[in-house]
């Protein structure tokens, strides 16, 4: 007779297989980031070097910057684990904890969200905010409320954008000398001019095809829809993300922008296309709103989250004075991840029976009200259709 | 100490890595920023130069490349437009060669000359092959805008496609902004001098001297050919004596050979600058049967005054005068004039002359008209003298 | 509905090693231990120490609850009431019978002459007397199912065996295909149904090949292949696949009764030979076993003897790094001491590597909710359980959990989510009372 190990059913676990598990998921996310990183390097390093506008050493800077972002967040978490673990302080222990907390990803995404000419000390500060404040203080991987990378980006964006712009901002050496850009991103032009006009929003940057390929000015990782789609496709095929989350998010923005464009500027299909191809919508759709920890878990929750997020993105873009509607709306919606998860789980199980129907009604109602408000406000429609609402809203 | 190191080695190592990233990365990113800013300023300078060169090519109307052309100043003085005597040296600011397929096709001189004010900076593009001023481009000027704006398209058209072979290398000035016009003319001439020096171009250089100009008092011919000029011209110092009409065209050769058109133009151009005789006053008609001789001159504003003298039968005195004048004495004429209305001044001269053959002093504030009258009367007296005294 | 599209997943079968070796009979162990516990019901011993028992003799009953009857599986002498490890994970009192190797049958075991004229009531009575219980794992007394008043259209024979490693049903069916069809027919008659559906996995095509020759004799039987996914053997899933109908409580609502294939074979013997439930097939499988194989053994046999027949554990096996699992790997239990006895619900003993290593926290991927066959949201149930929020547990239908284990199986972070949901289910049950 022998004493055997205990355990809980089931005794067969997919996570024990070689190519499955959280580590594999996170590895897949990093692989999916690869085309984005490479394109970013190509656009901001190699191509500029080929143009003859920077030297060989500078050519490697974008890659260096992104990798240092990933390395910094690993380092920060390592220090945090080392400092906080008073009883069993050892490098080995830190390494093991690091292997379970996937520290590189927030750093990589953070670097991809920042402009190329962000000074390194700003990057260090942002990495600190992202990993220590955004992730470790909440309890580490799996417990963070806000997307760490986004939190770091938001804090830096709100406080140190001037420093970043002084250091060169997001225009690489080739882009800085293009007069047509006039020192603004496509979305910046929309925010500053408020006019829906192809000639000012799209024409200076080429065509929508350039928007899709990504040869427009913007933060390191956000410009190329093509590279992001490659990464997204890989994630969908690997079943790391659900295809409908990005599609619903992008679709919501597309439809709302289309209506707004049609109502206010008489703009054609180019405007919704422009809306989804600028300002990091694609990057957020694939890499940030699908980030599992800080977004709802169940299917219905993901759908509602994406819908709300799309509406808020458009709202912040057109109604607020914030050009970065994506980041702001995502941070805002991160707060509501837990309740959305809870309510949609009830809806999922109870369907229209009490209280599922009630919750469904509340969520849908909120969504519709927000969407209508966004359209009315952004399209300035109240002045057209319901004049008295002008001073109510 | 050793224990401290053992306990905190990892923290120290981590901190060290952070510091290294901070320093190395910071230097790298600072380096990037500086390089980029340098690149941008260099680019902008290059871009400005490119646009400038493009504008030069545009002026030349040909070529695809601009090359700096290093030349010296050329010492040459020109009259200040505002003065009869003072001179100044135009400044050659820059010079460029325009290349087409690496062949020099044009040269651009950027010259600063004086107009009403100094500092009329103009690019003169010269076609090297055809030796023509292709076009000009005004780069900057300090002229009074109201005067400068009088320079219209027609004026500048004179400065395009102007061949350097013209002996008379001038342009018509624009009334109201003569000084500014002169600035362009001087610049054009200076550009030709530079071109001649740099590209072995020979400025058409014609040597001639107007030795004398006399009036023709022969009553049968003096209306058609009022002037007899004696001119030495050409490399061989040929002497020409010929009659010229009131517009200084050669009418009839008295001695010598017919010079070519270049000379004729030159004569015509240069006659007014001589001071042998009063060229402004002519006999326009003489009727021997009625003994009436008609003399005309320009009064104020170039407006003609014509006087018909009736001579006595012996043709040695004037018995009557018939004045036809266009002088108005209006406000433009002279503010200070307070006398009787036109033609009071002319009539005053007439009365005095008919009375005792004298000329009255110039009437105050009507000197131009007075001088014109004096010129007419002087010519009349000269004619009478030529007919009756002296020669006879 | 797109948000409820969740019908199981494919799990690697790992049956091949065991499938190759045909099932062996091991009918005469030295001792058997008849557990005095069946499906959480304590039984009363009907024999006392020192009694001689014959094969098929009634040894324990519980007439109050569903009239459970347990029979001696070998002939010999009752030597004591001893504690033995039971597949429920507890040590239970068992009747120890020492084999006299005479194989004396009790008198009632004889060939039934007029099988074809048995009425529905007679068949159900036979079922009850023979102590037939579901051999699939639930151990529900079969006669209760047949006492339904609902109109039954069809009897479904569950030959799916969807859990990995399990091969005993497969072997049993391929060995006794005709018995299966006969037993199924008796079931059909006991339910007044018109047809029998044998649901099997497409993957186990050998079952179809084994049954095919007999189908002409049993025209009311139809074969229904089912996709090779887990939990295809789940009653509700089979009923939905076969009848396209669903139900909330019992399959009888959908007009069907579902029985395990091994039960059908046992019932065939019970009807034709009056043999009660005294033996069942058991698979001994897993990486820890030298030569995995299946056995047909008397109830109460010690599993350790079967392991010996399989060549024992692999060389150098460190028991503390292996799980000794009673039942299928998805729903079974880890037994700490390898002193297990075969009872009526034990279909397999798996010795496989225990999970080790550390895993990250829940990352919220939602895969558990995606695979849940009853459309629950395990993560939320887990959170509600941690907060002891009984109302929310009710809203989340925690009581609907079938503990199939899929959520834990799929979890990339190796979280014991099934256990948490099961605890939530218990809390809800207790809280609701």
């Amino acid at each position: 007779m022998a004493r055997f190990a205990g355990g809980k059913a089931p005794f067969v676990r997919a996570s024990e297989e070689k190519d499955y598990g959280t580590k594999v998921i996170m590895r897949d996310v990093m692989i999916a980031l690869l085309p984005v990183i490479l394109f970013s390097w190509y656009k901001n390093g190699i191509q500029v070097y080929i143009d003859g506008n920077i030297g060989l050493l500078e050519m490697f800077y974008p890659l260096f910057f992104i990798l240092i972002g990933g390395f910094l967040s690993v380092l920060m978490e390592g220090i945090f684990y080392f400092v906080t673990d008073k009883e069993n302080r050892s490098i080995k222990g830190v390494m093991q904890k690091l292997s379970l907390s996937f520290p590189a990803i927030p750093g990589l995404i953070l670097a991809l969200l920042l402009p190329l000419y962000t000074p390194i000390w700003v990057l260090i500060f942002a990495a600190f905010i992202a990993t220590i404040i955004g992730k470790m203080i909440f309890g580490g991987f799996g417990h963070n409320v806000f997307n760490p990378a986004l939190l770091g980006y938001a804090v830096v964006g709100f406080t140190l954008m001037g420093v970043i712009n002084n250091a060169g901002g997001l225009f690489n050496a080739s882009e800085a000398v293009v007069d047509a850009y006039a020192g603004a991103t496509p979305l910046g032009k929309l925010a500053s001019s408020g006019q829906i006009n192809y000639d000012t929003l799209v024409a200076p940057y080429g065509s929508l095809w350039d928007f899709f390929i990504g040869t427009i000015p913007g933060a390191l990782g956000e410009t190329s829809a093509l590279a992001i789609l490659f990464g997204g496709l890989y994630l969908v095929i690997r079943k790391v993300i659900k295809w409908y989350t990005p599609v619903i998010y992008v679709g919501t923005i597309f439809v709302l922008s289309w209506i707004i464009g049609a109502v206010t500027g008489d703009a054609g299909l180019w405007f919704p296309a422009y809306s989804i191809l600028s300002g990091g919508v694609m990057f957020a759709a694939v890499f940030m709103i699908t980030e599992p920890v800080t977004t709802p878990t169940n299917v219905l929750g993901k759908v509602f989250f994406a819908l709300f997020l799309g509406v808020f993105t458009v709202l912040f873009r057109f109604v607020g004075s914030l050009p970065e509607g994506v980041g702001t709306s995502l941070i805002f919606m991160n707060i509501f991840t837990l309740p959305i998860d809870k309510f949609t789980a009830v809806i999922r199980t109870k369907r229209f029976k009490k209280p599922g129907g009630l919750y469904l009604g509340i969520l849908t109602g909120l969504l519709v009200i927000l969407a209508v408000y966004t359209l009315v406000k952004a399209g300035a429609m109240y002045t057209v259709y319901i004049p008295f609402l002008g001073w109510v809203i | 100490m050793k224990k401290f190191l053992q306990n905190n080695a990892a923290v120290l190592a981590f901190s060290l890595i952070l510091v290294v990233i901070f320093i190395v990365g910071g230097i790298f990113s600072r380096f990037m920023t500086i390089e980029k800013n340098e690149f941008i300023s260099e680019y902008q300078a290059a871009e400005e130069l490119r646009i400038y060169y493009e504008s030069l090519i545009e002026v030349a109307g040909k070529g695809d490349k601009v090359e700096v052309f290093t030349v010296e100043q050329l010492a040459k003085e020109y009259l200040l437009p505002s003065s009869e005597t003072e001179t100044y040296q135009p400044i050659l600011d820059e010079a460029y060669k325009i290349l087409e397929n690496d062949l020099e096709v044009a040269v651009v001189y950027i010259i600063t000359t004086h107009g009403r004010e100094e500092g009329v900076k103009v690019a003169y593009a010269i076609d090297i092959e055809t030796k023509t001023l292709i076009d000009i481009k005004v780069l900057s000027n300090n002229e009074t805008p109201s005067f400068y704006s009088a320079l219209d398209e027609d004026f500048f058209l004179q400065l395009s496609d102007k061949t350097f072979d013209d002996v008379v290398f001038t342009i018509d000035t624009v009334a109201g902004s003569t000084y500014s016009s002169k600035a362009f003319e001087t610049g054009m001439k200076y550009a030709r001098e530079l071109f001649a020096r740099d590209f072995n171009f020979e400025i058409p250089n014609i040597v001639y001297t107007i030795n004398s100009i006399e009036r023709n008092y022969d009553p049968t011919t003096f209306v058609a050919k009022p002037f007899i000029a004696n001119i030495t011209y050409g490399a061989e110092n040929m002497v020409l004596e010929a009659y010229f009409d009131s517009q200084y065209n050669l009418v009839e050769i008295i001695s010598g050979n017919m010079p070519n058109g270049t000379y004729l133009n030159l004569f015509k151009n240069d006659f007014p600058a001589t001071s042998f005789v009063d060229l402004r006053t002519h006999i326009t008609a003489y009727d021997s049967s009625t003994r009436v001789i008609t003399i005309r001159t320009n009064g104020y504003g170039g407006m003609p005054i014509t006087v018909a003298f009736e001579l006595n039968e012996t043709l040695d005195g004037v018995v009557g005068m018939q004045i036809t004048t266009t002088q108005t004495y209006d406000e433009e004429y002279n503010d200070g004039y307070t006398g009787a209305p036109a033609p009071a001044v002319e009539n005053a001269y007439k009365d005095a002359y008919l009375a005792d053959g004298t000329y009255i002093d110039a009437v105050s504030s009507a000197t131009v008209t007075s001088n014109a009258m004096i010129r007419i009367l002087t010519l009349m007296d000269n004619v009478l003298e030529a007919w009756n005294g002296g020669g006879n | 509905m797109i948000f409820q599209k969740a019908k199981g997943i494919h799990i690697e079968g790992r049956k091949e090693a065991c499938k190759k070796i045909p099932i062996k009979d091991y009918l005469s162990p030295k001792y058997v231990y008849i557990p005095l516990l069946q499906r959480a019901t304590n039984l009363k011993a009907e024999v006392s120490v020192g009694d001689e028992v014959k094969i098929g003799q009634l040894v324990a009953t519980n007439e109050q609850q569903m009239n459970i009857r347990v029979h001696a599986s070998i002939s010999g002498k009752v030597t004591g009431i001893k504690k033995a490890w039971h597949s429920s994970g507890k040590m239970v009192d068992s009747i120890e019978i020492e084999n006299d190797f005479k194989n004396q049958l009790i008198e009632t075991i004889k060939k039934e002459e007029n099988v074809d004229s048995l009425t529905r009531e007679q068949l159900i009575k036979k079922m009850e007397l023979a102590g037939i219980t579901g051999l699939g794992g639930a151990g529900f007394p079969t006669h209760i199912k047949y006492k339904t008043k609902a109109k039954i259209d069809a009897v479904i024979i569950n030959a799916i065996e969807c859990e990995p490693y399990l091969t005993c049903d497969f072997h049993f069916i391929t060995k006794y295909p005709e018995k299966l069809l006969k037993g199924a027919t008796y079931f059909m008659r006991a339910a007044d149904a018109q047809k029998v559906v044998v649901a099997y996995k497409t993957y186990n095509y050998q079952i179809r090949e084994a049954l095919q020759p007999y189908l002409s004799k049993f025209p009311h039987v139809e074969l229904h292949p089912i996709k090779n996914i887990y939990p295809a053997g789940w009653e509700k899933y089979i009923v939905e696949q076969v009848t396209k109908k669903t139900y909330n409580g019992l399959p009888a609502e959908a007009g069907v009764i579902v029985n395990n294939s091994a039960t059908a074979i046992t019932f065939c013997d019970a009807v034709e030979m009056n043999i009660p439930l005294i033996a069942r097939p058991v698979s001994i499988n897993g990486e820890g076993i030298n030569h995995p194989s299946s056995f047909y053994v008397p109830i109460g046999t010690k599993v350790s003897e079967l392991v010996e027949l399989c060549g024992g554990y692999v060389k150098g096996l460190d028991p503390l790094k292996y799980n000794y699992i009673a039942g299928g790997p998805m729903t079974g239990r880890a037994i700490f001491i390898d002193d297990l006895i075969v009872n009526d619900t034990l279909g397999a003993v798996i010795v496989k590597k225990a999970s080790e290593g550390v895993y990250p926290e829940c990352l919220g991927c939602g895969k558990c909710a995606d695979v849940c066959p009853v459309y629950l949201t395990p993560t939320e149930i887990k959170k509600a359980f941690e907060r002891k929020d009984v109302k929310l547990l009710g809203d989340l239908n925690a009581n609907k959990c079938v503990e199939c284990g899929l959520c834990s199986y799929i979890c990339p972070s190796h979280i014991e989510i099934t256990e948490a949901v099961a605890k939530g289910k218990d809390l809800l049950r207790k809280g609701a009372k």
Side-chain angles (χ1 to χ4, degrees), chain A residues 142-147 150 288-298 300-306 308-309 312 329-345 363, chain C residues 363-365 377 379-380 383 387:
Chain A
H143 299 285
N144 45 319
V145 172
F146 299 104
N147 189 322
L150 193 59
M288 271 145 64
I289 74 164
T290 57
E291 200 267 341
V293 178
T294 56
T295 60
T297 304
N298 70 67
L300 197 58
K302 284 182 208 284
V303 170
F304 268 109
F305 188 80
F308 271 106
L309 203 57
F312 271 117
S329 57
L330 185 49
I331 287 215
F332 184 67
M333 281 308 291
N334 275 163
I335 303 169
F336 297 106
T337 295
L338 288 177
I340 286 180
D341 239 347
K342 183 174 139 186
F343 289 131
T344 50
L363 280 179
Chain C
L363 81 164
C365 63
T377 314
T379 45
E380 292 305 306
K383 280 185 210 159
R387 288 200 301 269

Side-chain angles (χ1 to χ4, degrees), chain B residues 145-217:
Chain B
S146 59
F147 290 116
Y148 184 78
S149 60
L151 300 176
D152 55 4
E153 202 180 325
D154 285 341
F155 172 78
F156 287 111
L157 268 181
Q158 298 182 81
L159 289 156
S160 63
D161 282 333
K162 191 166 183 62
T163 175
F164 276 0
D165 283 326
D166 275 354
V167 174
V168 185
F169 197 58
T170 58
I171 50 172
D172 296 336
T173 58
V174 172
S177 75
T178 326
Y179 293 171
S180 302
S181 310
K182 283 285 179 200
F184 289 96
E185 193 177 274
T186 308
M188 175 181 89
K189 284 179 173 166
Y190 188 60
R192 183 165 76 157
E193 296 288 343
L194 290 167
F195 183 71
R197 181 194 66 181
D198 299 332
F199 292 91
N200 296 325
F201 168 71
E202 211 168 305
I203 295 175
N205 185 16
I206 290 168
V207 184
Y208 75 97
T209 320
I210 299 174
N211 300 321
S212 68
I213 299 173
E214 287 171 8
R215 271 189 193 280
N216 174 16
Y217 293 114

